[in-house]
Each structure stands twice: as C-alpha cells, then as structure tokens.
Amino acid sequence: MAEVKQAAAINLCTAAAEKFTTESDMAGFIKAGMEDFDGPAWHCIVGNSFGSSVSHAKQNFLYLSLIVPRLRTATGSTRPETCYVLLFKTA
C-alpha cells in the first residue's frame, strides 16, 4: 500500500478506536473514510478473532492491530482491548 494511503488508513483506524465502542461501528467508519479518500470497493473487518481469505486489488491491503480504549463487552461494560483490522480494496 502506498505510504500516503497507508497513513490515511492508520489515521482512520486510530480515530475509529477513539470514537467508537463496537467493532462494527469502527469497521463502518473506516470503510466509509477510505471510500471518501480513495473511491469505492473498500472492505473492512474489525475484531479479535476471525479468519479470512480475500482477493484484493494490488497494493490495496492492510492488516494491523490497535488498542481500542473503550471496547464494549458482551455484558455492556467497556474496557481496553486489542483489535485487529483487515482493510482491503477489490478491483
């Protein structure tokens, strides 16, 4: 992934982690932000346990981990948690 695009994606991931408490809200925010930045066909998966097998456009794939300060748990409480982000664009 080009450095400018990677920096934009990391900034979006950081903003999502600070703003949202659910993985699905974070994924939607990151996807929408990347589509605003680089056009349609971006996909985003956020969580701490998932498998994947994806096809993606060349130079349009990013996988990273981040600390989410207030991730909502199944009981409704929030706590810091490590999440993983899979972000990719299809052709």
Side-chain angles (χ1 to χ4, degrees):
M1 183 176 282
E3 285 186 40
V4 171
K5 195 180 296 185
Q6 183 175 349
I10 290 170
N11 288 338
L12 284 166
C13 290
T14 302
E18 292 171 356
K19 183 173 184 172
F20 297 103
T21 60
T22 66
E23 295 157 336
S24 60
D25 288 342
M26 290 170 51
F29 178 83
I30 296 165
K31 173 185 169 47
M34 285 305 291
E35 289 185 341
D36 287 345
F37 178 79
D38 191 52
W42 281 94
H43 306 274
C44 185
I45 301 166
V46 177
N48 56 21
S49 180
F50 59 86
S52 68
S53 176
V54 300
S55 297
H56 58 85
K58 188 175 181 178
Q59 299 293 317
N60 286 282
F61 180 92
L62 182 68
Y63 180 76
L64 58 91
S65 64
L66 66 143
I67 302 294
V68 181
R70 297 176 326 274
L71 189 66
R72 187 168 307 284
T73 65
T75 62
S77 63
T78 59
R79 65 180 177 154
E81 184 75 43
T82 300
C83 279
Y84 300 90
V85 178
L86 174 61
L87 179 64
F88 62 98
K89 185 175 186 175
T90 54

